[in-house]
Amino acid sequence: MGPPIALPDTFARAVAGLRSATPRPEILLEEVGAPQRLAPYSFALSASVLRDGDEVASGRLILLHDPAGHEAWQGTLRLVTYVTAELEVDLAADPLLPGVGWTWLTDALDAQDAGYRAIGGTITQTMSTRFGELAGPPAAGDVEIRASWTPTGVDLTAHLYAWCTLLASTAGLPPPGVTALPERRPAATG
């Protein structure tokens, strides 16, 4: 076994910021293997968002670092995310969903004062109907958010909190400190 590899200070500080944040209890984070071919240094987290014990959204956040910089990134660090959640069919079919999904990301970054530039991404909404052996619920909808941005600083704690806010929004969780009201069921007649 060779000596440990010294990481660039910028990358080490960025990873420390991602590791230091504690998300809300419904969001479970785990360090996972990061892609090795996208940049000389990389780090990744996966997330599961739980509501009443069921996973309602998931995501991955990848930190890329190229000490030489990257023209398209406009910097040496890049954050890349993929978030997906199942939605009610009527919400998944809403033509306004992509714009709303994009503002979930940008509003979360702005609310956390997580400075960024060179942001870009896609929002995909899908509808699925199952048949035959896969028959199940009559229809299902999903939203996928894929985005990347360049942080303007090295401390990425605010970026992790913004990403957790994006996950919570995508999962339909109420803001922290707000309790969702139970659905009203029609009264039984007898």
Side-chain angles (χ1 to χ4, degrees):
M1 187 184 271
I5 298 172
L7 297 175
D9 183 59
T10 298
F11 181 70
R13 289 175 46 208
V15 169
L18 293 176
R19 286 179 170 155
S20 71
T22 304
R24 56 192 286 179
E26 302 95 335
I27 300 175
L28 306 176
L29 299 180
E30 179 182 5
E31 289 184 27
V32 295
Q36 300 299 309
R37 296 183 182 168
L38 299 176
Y41 301 93
S42 59
F43 174 81
L45 293 169
S46 72
S48 296
V49 183
L50 304 177
R51 185 173 48 225
D52 300 325
D54 295 325
E55 184 175 290
V56 293
S58 62
R60 183 169 281 206
L61 183 68
I62 301 167
L63 168 65
L64 303 174
H65 176 57
D66 186 341
H70 196 287
E71 186 177 332
W73 298 357
Q74 300 176 21
T76 62
L77 295 172
R78 188 78 173 164
L79 288 166
V80 180
T81 189
Y82 169 77
V83 174
T84 185
E86 189 171 314
L87 300 175
E88 293 177 13
V89 174
D90 57 337
L91 182 57
D94 189 330
L96 300 177
L97 178 62
V100 170
W102 188 252
T103 61
W104 289 337
L105 171 61
T106 57
D107 286 355
L109 289 166
D110 293 342
Q112 292 293 330
D113 291 325
Y116 61 92
R117 64 177 163 260
I119 191 168
T122 62
I123 311 293
T124 305
Q125 55 196 123
T126 59
M127 299 287 294
S128 302
T129 304
R130 299 176 182 167
F131 296 96
E133 295 295 318
L134 296 177
D142 292 292
V143 63
E144 296 176 354
I145 300 170
R146 295 176 189 265
S148 63
W149 63 95
T150 299
T152 57
V154 176
D155 182 354
L156 300 186
T157 306
H159 289 268
L160 182 71
Y161 282 127
W163 183 62
C164 289
T165 300
L166 169 65
L167 286 160
S169 296
T170 305
L173 296 181
V178 175
T179 302
L181 296 174
E183 289 185 36
R184 284 191 73 182
R185 304 204 187 274
T189 58

